[in-house]
Amino acid sequence: MKRTRKSDRILLQGSEACVRGALIAGCRFYAGYPITPATEIMEQMSRQLPKAGGVFIQMEDEIASLGAVIGASLTGLKSMTATSSPGFSLMQEHISFACMAEVPCVIVDVMRGGPSTGLPTLPAQGDVMQARWGAHGDHPIIVLCPSSTYEFFDLTIKAFNLSERYRIPVILLTDEVTAHTRESVILPPSDELVVEERRKPNVPPEWYTPYDDRQTGVPPMPAFGEGYRYHVTGLAHDIRGYPTTRSDEVGTLIDRLFSKISKDFHLLQWFDSYQADDSVVTIIAYGSVARSALHAVKEAREKGLKVGLIKLKVLWPFMRHTVIRFLQSSAKVLVPEMNMGQLSREVKRVSQGGCEIVTLNKVDGTMISPKEILRSLEDIYP
Amino acid sequence: MKEREHLIYKYLRSSKRFPHIWCPGCGIGILLGALIRAIDGGGYGKDDVVLISGIGCSGRLPTYVDFNTLHTTHGRALTFATGIKLANPSLKVIVVMGDGDATAIGGNHFIHAARRNIGITSIIINNQTYGMTGGQFSPTTPFGLKTSSSPHGNLESPFDICGLAREAGATFVARSTVYHARLLEEIIGMAIGKEGFSVVEVVSHCTTYFGREIGLESPVEMMKWQRDNAVRVEKAKDLGEEELRQKIVIGVLVDRKAPAYHEMYEKLIAKCRLEDNAL
């Protein structure tokens, strides 16, 4: 560990940390459309990207934004967009395309209150299920969830890494509080950070089959213009990329799309635990709510209650193995969320009745406070 | 004849499972032939061309040819093309769309790509119908026509695609029919050579649905109709407004100079880097 000097400490907004992380991860293309509370990311990108030799473009809507991002990624640039809940709805069409055509891209959704135009300036966590199931068709997806400025920085870099490694859209699901909060952070020097690059084909173009890789399940990906002239489509395709309706070819494709992620589930168990080893009641939380939960756990411990916290950093694929462990060791589990109960459904599904799951839901545009969580802990404590 | 055989071997994908999906007598094949000849005539390398499409009968066109090819979502081909052009401005980016693809579901993307004057060639094959889904009326279907989704007659007025492109800011706009195959090849070649946003409207026909709806029975009749109703832009000047309304004006309609978006962006990057280094 390097010694940190006072000068290493900087005051940073969540959105700014995201942009820093993206640039370090190698992002060189951003397309977006203004929307509260995600606009800060776009404005920062419009300043920073040209200086880094990258491209920023403000498109005519969110559908166009993700279309441009996919086009740029196919042409070899690490690419991203950011939006908020209503814009995220518009992007679902192209998230589905990126899953099917296996185009790496990063999408930030700074969640705000809904449904519809809802509460533009207030936080919510109503898109947990939209992030998983919003795009049409059966598809795998990776969704990461930061709860602080530092995590926003860190998970943005990891989002790009995962996206490039698996050739899949990665969604950074955050909320208005995490994006707008300014915090004092110490960012690690860039040489300590791991940045993954896209795997390129190492065979001559005439030997290249764009959608076939039996070794890793993730085919290497050349950029348009590099001499590998291949076909990309949202239609079900064979290993050459050409449209097919043959059941054996379609089945193989969809199986591979799923298995390339599922085979690595064990690598995607990213969480922080706080006093959860001996906890009788364990909180499972994510995003800004996890910070209120941490505060509540500290206060409850002072009162002698054996409670703990699991903060999830990966929401999808759901961390079944991690969650089951704590479900087995706890008498009760509390899931506080700024929605009517979305991730708690998943916790209940995994628990299958084995553990009592208590939900704490809030959808009025205000944060769930430590006091509210503490009250809930005291109510349910056996 | 010999030359044509040579181009087929050069540009059609031998690995693709033919036959193609188009109906016998469809105009898209004529467009594809003209496009291949125009690209070959321009001397562009196959690696340097990206051919992009949306959804519909025209959406399948890139599948068959040996370029960097991308079959996108309905109406959004131009958005993908925008990302590709900006990520690598040295590529020749060509987008093929249908009339519904470009001016209904993709109308917003079309006018904004034109307004930006980004270096993309848009080829819109206009058969005045949604052919793949069974002959519903499109934004270019004539007023009053009975179609499978306007059984009592179309209540909407058609778009003039070239007029739309001109007013939105495209710097090169031209029109041909598939009957005028040589003219088509020539204007596609000119369009690809332009730096800004270029639009080629290709008036075509749908032998399976639209022909039935307008009472023309065979592709030959439909192409004769194109021949008899087309008027060169040079001659159109002599015709009155009422007379012109019944005609298809073909040729180059707009050819003007304006800075292209991707060129301005490259200059912006250079300027930002210079300022950054000076600090």
Side-chain angles (χ1 to χ4, degrees):
Chain A
M1 231 13 231
K2 269 187 190 167
R3 241 175 351 149
T4 52
R5 287 164 292 137
K6 215 177 173 186
S7 58
D8 292 334
R9 193 168 270 285
I10 47 170
L11 187 65
L12 216 54
Q13 194 191 43
S15 298
E16 292 168 350
C18 169
V19 170
R20 284 199 188 209
L23 291 170
I24 287 170
C27 175
R28 290 297 175 271
F29 188 90
Y30 182 101
Y33 186 80
I35 185 166
T36 306
T39 312
E40 287 83 356
I41 297 175
M42 186 171 102
E43 289 180 349
Q44 282 286 322
M45 279 295 190
S46 72
R47 270 174 235 145
Q48 304 294 338
L49 265 177
K51 291 183 197 169
V55 179
F56 164 87
I57 184 166
Q58 182 172 314
M59 295 297 285
E60 55 272 17
D61 59 31
E62 287 87 349
I63 304 170
S65 301
L66 192 50
V69 161
I70 294 170
S73 183
L74 284 165
T75 315
L77 298 188
K78 289 186 180 178
S79 308
M80 77 176 283
T81 184
T83 185
S84 180
S85 307
F88 190 53
S89 294
L90 289 180
M91 288 182 182
Q92 298 299 335
E93 178 187 18
H94 282 164
I95 291 174
S96 193
F97 182 94
C99 286
M100 186 56 140
E102 298 177 76
V103 186
C105 53
V106 172
I107 300 138
V108 181
D109 174 13
V110 183
M111 291 182 283
R112 69 189 214 189
S116 191
T117 313
L119 301 162
T121 58
L122 300 175
Q125 294 177 320
D127 299 349
V128 172
M129 285 296 174
Q130 188 187 194
R132 176 63 193 91
W133 300 112
H136 58 282
D138 252 345
H139 60 280
I141 199 86
I142 296 176
V143 179
L144 310 181
C145 183
S147 69
S148 68
T149 298
Y150 180 82
E151 276 180 19
F152 210 169
F153 169 81
D154 183 49
L155 289 181
T156 300
I157 298 172
K158 291 192 164 88
F160 275 98
N161 289 350
L162 293 175
S163 182
E164 296 293 330
R165 191 194 305 163
Y166 297 115
R167 291 185 60 179
I168 190 174
V170 175
I171 294 157
L172 273 162
L173 197 62
T174 184
D175 55 71
E176 186 272 339
V177 171
T178 310
H180 278 167
T181 302
R182 277 183 195 281
E183 290 188 80
S184 149
V185 289
I186 298 163
L187 299 182
S190 49
D191 57 356
E192 283 179 17
L193 297 162
V194 178
V195 172
E196 290 183 35
E197 299 302 331
R198 193 173 298 179
R199 199 159 64 92
K200 299 254 178 173
N202 53 11
V203 295
E206 57 273 25
W207 293 0
Y208 176 63
T209 42
Y211 289 96
D212 184 27
D213 193 307
R214 292 185 185 93
Q215 287 170 340
T216 64
V218 187
M221 184 181 175
F224 282 161
E226 285 182 343
Y228 294 81
R229 297 183 303 274
Y230 72 109
H231 188 58
V232 180
T233 177
L235 283 167
H237 43 275
D238 61 18
I239 56 170
R240 293 170 189 271
Y242 300 135
T244 181
T245 53
R246 265 177 53 179
S247 58
D248 58 332
E249 290 175 335
V250 177
T252 306
L253 167 69
I254 306 299
D255 281 347
R256 184 174 61 71
L257 293 184
F258 272 87
S259 65
K260 70 178 178 181
I261 307 299
S262 61
K263 74 177 172 50
D264 281 356
F265 271 176
H266 62 285
L267 299 177
L268 292 167
Q269 309 286 311
W270 299 347
F271 65 98
D272 282 347
S273 71
Y274 181 75
Q275 302 212 328
D277 294 332
D278 65 341
S279 55
V280 176
V281 177
T282 308
I283 301 172
I284 295 177
Y286 53 95
S288 58
V289 176
R291 304 183 73 172
S292 292
L294 178 64
H295 200 87
V297 167
K298 284 178 182 167
E299 286 190 23
R301 283 274 170 179
E302 279 172 21
K303 293 183 174 188
L305 303 183
K306 286 171 88 174
V307 299
L309 168 68
I310 304 299
K311 179 175 76 184
L312 305 183
K313 294 186 193 175
V314 179
L315 296 190
W316 304 107
F318 189 65
M319 286 190 262
R320 229 175 77 218
H321 306 298
T322 300
V323 169
I324 279 179
R325 229 171 64 215
F326 292 100
L327 288 173
Q328 284 167 347
S329 65
S330 315
K332 290 181 182 180
V333 163
L334 175 68
V335 188
E337 295 179 272
M338 287 189 283
N339 56 44
M340 291 302 278
Q342 297 198 11
L343 206 76
S344 61
R345 296 170 75 101
E346 200 66 11
V347 178
K348 285 174 189 167
R349 188 179 71 81
V350 169
S351 165
Q352 298 197 352
C355 178
E356 189 183 335
I357 315 296
V358 183
T359 59
L360 173 58
N361 305 115
K362 206 174 183 192
V363 287
D364 61 1
T366 58
M367 283 189 71
I368 301 180
S369 68
K371 202 184 260 178
E372 286 167 301
I373 296 174
L374 183 63
R375 203 183 305 135
S376 193
L377 284 172
E378 287 171 338
D379 284 350
I380 64 171
Y381 197 80
Chain B
M1 194 64 205
K2 198 148 187 288
E3 184 204 4
R4 214 180 303 160
E5 272 174 12
H6 171 72
L7 286 189
I8 284 174
Y9 287 125
K10 187 171 173 188
Y11 288 102
L12 290 199
R13 275 177 166 151
S14 57
S15 59
K16 172 70 189 86
R17 283 185 292 233
F18 276 86
H20 57 69
I21 65 146
W22 299 310
C23 306
C26 178
I28 297 177
I30 299 171
L31 162 63
L32 180 56
L35 177 61
I36 286 175
R37 291 192 299 277
I39 291 172
D40 194 70
Y44 307 110
K46 290 199 277 188
D47 289 338
D48 301 328
V49 174
V50 187
L51 191 58
I52 305 157
S53 66
I55 298 292
C57 301
S58 64
R60 300 302 183 101
L61 183 143
T63 321
Y64 307 112
V65 278
D66 189 19
F67 302 111
N68 305 285
T69 56
L70 173 60
H71 177 206
T72 69
T73 50
H74 198 17
R76 326 286 182 212
L78 283 168
T79 71
F80 290 71
T82 299
I84 291 166
K85 185 67 186 180
L86 289 173
N88 184 351
S90 70
L91 294 172
K92 278 285 163 198
V93 180
I94 304 166
V95 177
V96 180
M97 296 172 280
D99 44 299
D101 201 27
T103 63
I105 189 165
N108 198 29
H109 308 308
F110 181 58
I111 56 174
H112 286 283
R115 182 178 61 83
R116 271 181 210 114
N117 194 31
I118 187 164
I120 295 169
T121 298
S122 285
I123 301 171
I124 299 163
I125 185 148
N126 178 7
N127 61 2
Q128 299 113 62
T129 193
Y130 289 94
M132 193 172 254
T133 49
Q136 295 79 22
F137 70 90
S138 87
T140 56
T141 301
F143 181 85
L145 196 75
K146 290 182 177 173
T147 72
S148 58
S149 60
S150 60
H152 311 294
N154 181 19
L155 298 180
E156 302 180 10
S157 297
F159 260 143
D160 168 5
I161 295 177
C162 287
L164 187 64
R166 179 183 59 230
E167 295 309 317
T171 43
F172 180 85
V173 182
R175 187 191 284 123
S176 176
T177 77
V178 286
Y179 174 84
H180 301 85
R182 288 290 172 198
L183 172 70
L184 182 57
E185 176 187 332
E186 190 188 329
I187 60 175
I188 291 175
M190 289 169 77
I192 299 171
K194 299 293 173 186
E195 281 304 319
F197 190 72
S198 54
V199 176
V200 175
E201 181 188 352
V202 188
V203 176
S204 184
H205 50 269
C206 173
T207 67
T208 305
Y209 294 106
F210 196 68
R212 198 156 62 203
E213 286 159 359
I214 55 172
L216 294 177
E217 273 176 14
S218 74
V220 176
E221 275 185 60
M222 293 171 214
M223 291 184 73
K224 277 183 181 163
W225 181 87
Q226 291 164 20
R227 178 195 65 192
D228 296 340
N229 287 280
V231 55
R232 293 266 179 172
V233 64
E234 298 82 9
K235 286 190 184 153
K237 288 186 200 108
D238 308 331
L239 297 177
E241 203 176 309
E242 198 52 41
E243 225 174 340
L244 262 182
R245 205 164 293 160
Q246 312 300 321
K247 297 285 181 191
I248 309 163
V249 179
I250 57 172
V252 176
L253 308 178
V254 176
D255 190 0
R256 59 190 169 201
K257 276 206 178 322
Y261 184 91
H262 60 281
E263 292 175 329
M264 290 191 286
Y265 203 90
E266 283 190 308
K267 281 180 194 158
L268 175 83
I269 289 178
K271 184 170 157 263
C272 285
R273 297 201 123 175
L274 207 66
E275 283 174 2
D276 215 29
N277 289 339
L279 288 175

Coordinates of all heavy atoms in Angstrom, one line a residue, chain A residues 4 108 147 200 222 244 275 291 380:
Chain A
T4 N -0.6 7.6 1.5 CA -1.4 8.7 0.9 C -1.0 10.0 1.5 O -1.0 10.1 2.7 CB -2.9 8.4 1.0 OG1 -3.2 8.2 2.4 CG2 -3.3 7.2 0.2
V108 N -24.9 3.8 -18.2 CA -25.2 4.2 -16.9 C -26.6 4.6 -16.8 O -27.1 5.4 -17.6 CB -24.3 5.4 -16.5 CG1 -24.5 5.9 -15.1 CG2 -22.8 5.1 -16.7
S147 N -22.4 2.5 -4.6 CA -23.1 3.2 -3.5 C -22.4 4.4 -3.0 O -22.8 5.1 -2.1 CB -23.3 2.2 -2.3 OG -22.1 2.0 -1.7
K200 N -8.7 -9.7 -29.8 CA -8.8 -9.6 -31.3 C -8.5 -10.9 -31.9 O -7.8 -11.7 -31.3 CB -7.8 -8.5 -31.8 CG -8.1 -7.2 -31.2 CD -8.7 -6.3 -32.3 CE -9.0 -4.9 -31.7 NZ -9.4 -4.0 -32.7
P222 N -12.8 -8.3 -34.2 CA -12.1 -7.3 -34.9 C -12.9 -6.0 -35.0 O -14.1 -6.1 -34.8 CB -11.8 -7.9 -36.2 CG -13.0 -8.8 -36.4 CD -13.5 -9.3 -35.1
T244 N -30.2 -17.1 -39.6 CA -30.6 -18.5 -39.7 C -31.9 -18.7 -38.9 O -32.1 -18.0 -37.9 CB -29.5 -19.5 -39.2 OG1 -30.0 -20.8 -39.3 CG2 -29.2 -19.2 -37.7
Q275 N -20.0 -6.7 9.7 CA -20.5 -7.4 10.9 C -21.6 -8.5 10.6 O -22.6 -8.6 11.3 CB -21.0 -6.4 11.9 CG -19.9 -5.4 12.3 CD -20.0 -4.9 13.7 OE1 -21.1 -4.8 14.3 NE2 -18.9 -4.7 14.3
R291 N -25.8 2.8 2.4 CA -25.1 3.7 3.3 C -25.9 4.0 4.5 O -25.4 4.1 5.6 CB -24.7 4.9 2.5 CG -23.8 4.5 1.3 CD -23.3 5.7 0.6 NE -22.2 6.3 1.3 CZ -21.5 7.3 0.8 NH1 -21.7 7.7 -0.4 NH2 -20.5 7.8 1.5
I380 N -38.2 -6.1 14.1 CA -38.2 -7.5 13.6 C -37.2 -8.3 14.4 O -37.2 -9.5 14.3 CB -37.9 -7.6 12.1 CG1 -36.5 -7.1 11.8 CG2 -38.9 -6.9 11.3 CD1 -36.1 -7.4 10.3

